[in-house]
């Protein structure tokens, strides 16, 4: 499963991408607002840090506006993926942009039938929001399983990008459910390394090693 970082914070993106384990980035209007930067500048810098897909979201709500914004965003760098909301206008714009060869990430997906429509509209990525479904007392991971089944039934190549990820368990469960990618906050990425038994085991190994008085080199 590919790992994307859900952030518009370039310091955080430089740090996480230095691991070589980050495959892409997603942003949204809230993350751009939090960065305090102009959309164009933020996306251009992020694309210079990350080779993989970088999602930049249009904010127009009508088809023509989405197309204009989508083409503007796609021109910023060759790895920009235009993010569009799962609305009727969003799917119509998705169909047009995808036909022009612009990759589209359809966002704010909360049902398998929405995901079916996004695939039919030619989306490169579908972003089901796991955490927000869980927050609402529903089962976010069940949605990933449903979309996987629907896409596999019909051979859709739209990639399932598990989004609104809150925990390391979300990452594990999305991988088990067959999500193609997960976009995760930097703090969840850092937590993926951690296990209390790793820390304890390493401490014990190093203590025993010190008692030998040896050095390897
Ligand atoms: C995905 O592309 C979104 O930017 C993101 O995952 C939303 O997460 P949130 O529900 O934590 O805001």
């Amino acid at each position: 499963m590919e790992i994307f970082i859900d952030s518009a914070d370039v310091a955080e993106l430089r740090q996480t991408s230095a691991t070589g384990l980050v495959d892409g980035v997603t942003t949204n209007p809230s993350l751009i607002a939090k960065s305090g930067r102009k959309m164009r500048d933020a996306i251009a810098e992020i694309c210079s840090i990350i080779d993989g897909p970088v999602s930049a979201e249009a904010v127009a709500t009508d088809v023509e506006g989405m197309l204009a914004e989508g083409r503007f965003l796609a021109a910023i760098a060759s790895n920009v993926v235009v993010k569009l909301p799962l609305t009727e206008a969003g799917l119509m714009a998705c169909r047009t942009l995808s036909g022009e060869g612009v990759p589209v990430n359809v966002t704010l997906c909360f049902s398998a039938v929405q995901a079916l429509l996004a695939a039919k509209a030619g989306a490169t990525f579908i972003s089901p929001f796991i955490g927000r479904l869980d927050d609402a007392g529903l089962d976010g991971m069940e949605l990933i399983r449903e979309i996987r089944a629907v896409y596999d039934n019909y051979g859709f190549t739209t990639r399932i990008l598990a989004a609104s990820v809150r925990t390391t368990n979300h990452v594990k469960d999305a991988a088990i459910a067959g999500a193609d990618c997960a976009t995760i906050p930097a703090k969840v990425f850092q937590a993926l390394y951690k296990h209390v038994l790793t820390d304890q085991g390493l401490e014990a190994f190093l203590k025993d090693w010190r008692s030998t008085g040896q050095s390897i080199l």
Side-chain angles (χ1 to χ4, degrees):
M1 183 173 71
E2 292 189 339
I3 294 179
F4 295 0
I5 303 295
D6 196 30
S7 173
D9 178 329
V10 292
E12 188 167 270
L13 292 172
R14 282 186 201 286
Q15 193 181 13
T16 50
S17 72
T19 62
L21 300 172
V22 172
D23 301 295
V25 171
T26 53
T27 66
N28 63 39
S30 304
L31 292 170
I32 294 290
K34 192 173 159 196
S35 78
R37 302 187 64 192
K38 279 187 72 81
M39 168 80 93
R40 199 198 170 287
D41 297 345
I43 297 299
E45 187 169 354
I46 294 168
C47 288
S48 74
I49 298 169
I50 305 278
D51 289 334
V54 173
S55 289
E57 188 161 343
V59 293
T61 54
D62 63 303
V63 179
E64 285 311 312
M66 288 179 183
L67 291 175
E69 289 180 0
R71 290 173 184 135
F72 174 87
L73 293 169
I76 295 174
S78 59
N79 53 331
V80 166
V81 173
V82 174
K83 212 171 173 193
L84 297 173
L86 212 155
T87 60
E88 185 179 38
L91 294 188
M92 290 170 70
C94 172
R95 188 167 188 77
T96 300
L97 289 175
S98 299
E100 293 172 5
V102 174
V104 175
N105 173 0
V106 175
T107 188
L108 290 167
C109 172
F110 294 96
S111 79
V113 286
Q114 287 183 315
L116 171 63
L117 293 180
K120 287 174 70 68
T124 299
F125 295 98
I126 182 71
S127 291
F129 275 38
I130 301 170
R132 293 191 194 188
L133 280 167
D134 287 357
D135 292 346
L138 300 166
D139 184 352
M141 210 51 64
E142 181 59 17
L143 177 58
I144 302 289
R145 287 189 284 272
E146 288 177 355
I147 298 172
R148 182 76 280 155
V150 170
Y151 283 6
D152 289 351
N153 281 349
Y154 299 100
F156 286 119
T157 55
T158 300
R159 311 195 72 214
I160 302 172
L161 173 49
S164 187
V165 167
R166 308 266 197 262
T167 65
T168 56
N169 273 341
H170 273 159
V171 178
K172 177 193 70 173
D173 291 339
I176 292 170
D180 298 291
C181 348
T183 186
I184 65 181
K187 70 175 186 324
V188 174
F189 177 75
Q190 301 294 353
L192 292 178
Y193 294 98
K194 304 256 188 264
H195 198 287
V196 63
L197 294 179
T198 304
D199 295 342
Q200 286 175 11
L202 183 60
E203 195 180 328
F205 284 155
L206 294 180
K207 182 165 175 263
D208 291 343
W209 177 252
R210 280 192 298 273
S211 73
T212 70
Q214 296 183 51
S215 71
I216 292 177
L217 299 177

